Amino acid sequence: MPQQDAITLLDDDHNEVAAMFAQYKSAHTDNQKRMLAQQICQELDVHMQVEEEIFYPAFRAASGNGEVVDEGKHEHDEARELMARIQEAPADARLMLELEDAILHHVNDEREKMFPQARKTQGLDLMRLGDQLQARKSELMAAQAG
């Protein structure tokens, strides 16, 4: 895979999860829904962790904009609460729709507020951050698979 900057990498994750939500909605059996719900929650968990460990601190330090980072973390906390409820009822379409709405809202916030500012921020090396995000994401996915 060619090297990607941090924003492209994070946005690819956003698009991947959106596609999984669409698959969930078209799933015909509870078993398919359970598997997709687990996959969606795993992807989101890893994505939120790498954002919080790597991207958000770098963005805050370079831009000085803690408000948008705090908002992102708050939205992650809301998503985690929903994901915990989904673990108890993975075939609950209403809960999954609630999670999808929360994630789409979060994605739009990042795309409209954080990402454009990150692209303009001096001293924020998006290529280096992309490498760090990819390496950490691979670590976390391997740990979850193992």
Side-chain angles (χ1 to χ4, degrees):
M1 173 193 324
Q3 184 184 24
Q4 292 184 306
D5 74 29
I7 293 171
T8 303
L9 195 85
L10 293 172
D11 218 28
D12 285 353
D13 284 354
H14 295 158
N15 294 333
E16 193 174 314
V17 168
M20 284 190 270
F21 277 118
Q23 288 176 329
Y24 181 92
K25 286 190 264 193
S26 65
H28 296 293
T29 68
D30 282 352
N31 193 42
Q32 287 174 314
K33 288 181 180 186
R34 273 191 287 280
M35 287 175 39
L36 284 162
Q38 182 179 4
Q39 187 180 2
I40 288 167
C41 289
Q42 179 181 1
E43 290 285 332
L44 288 172
D45 190 50
V46 168
H47 175 83
M48 291 185 291
Q49 189 169 340
V50 299
E51 272 189 336
E52 290 174 7
E53 286 179 7
I54 298 167
F55 187 74
Y56 284 1
F59 176 81
R60 182 190 301 262
S63 72
N65 188 345
E67 185 178 317
V68 73
V69 171
D70 292 343
E71 184 179 336
K73 285 183 177 181
H74 176 72
E75 290 171 349
H76 284 179
D77 291 343
E78 290 175 349
R80 285 186 178 102
E81 286 177 28
L82 286 166
M83 288 163 48
R85 291 171 51 203
I86 288 166
Q87 295 302 324
E88 304 297 315
D92 186 332
R94 184 188 54 76
L95 273 178
M96 286 300 290
L97 187 59
E98 213 174 314
L99 179 62
E100 181 183 25
D101 286 347
I103 295 302
L104 290 177
H105 173 84
H106 175 69
V107 167
N108 286 336
D109 278 354
E110 286 188 343
R111 285 178 176 163
E112 291 174 11
K113 298 174 188 172
M114 187 180 284
F115 291 170
Q117 185 177 356
R119 289 220 181 271
K120 294 178 200 161
T121 298
Q122 295 293 316
L124 192 59
D125 185 342
L126 294 175
M127 294 307 281
R128 184 180 57 78
L129 280 174
D131 289 344
Q132 291 174 347
L133 289 168
Q134 187 59 56
R136 183 65 176 135
K137 183 178 174 182
S138 296
E139 269 178 32
L140 293 169
M141 293 301 270
Q144 285 188 357

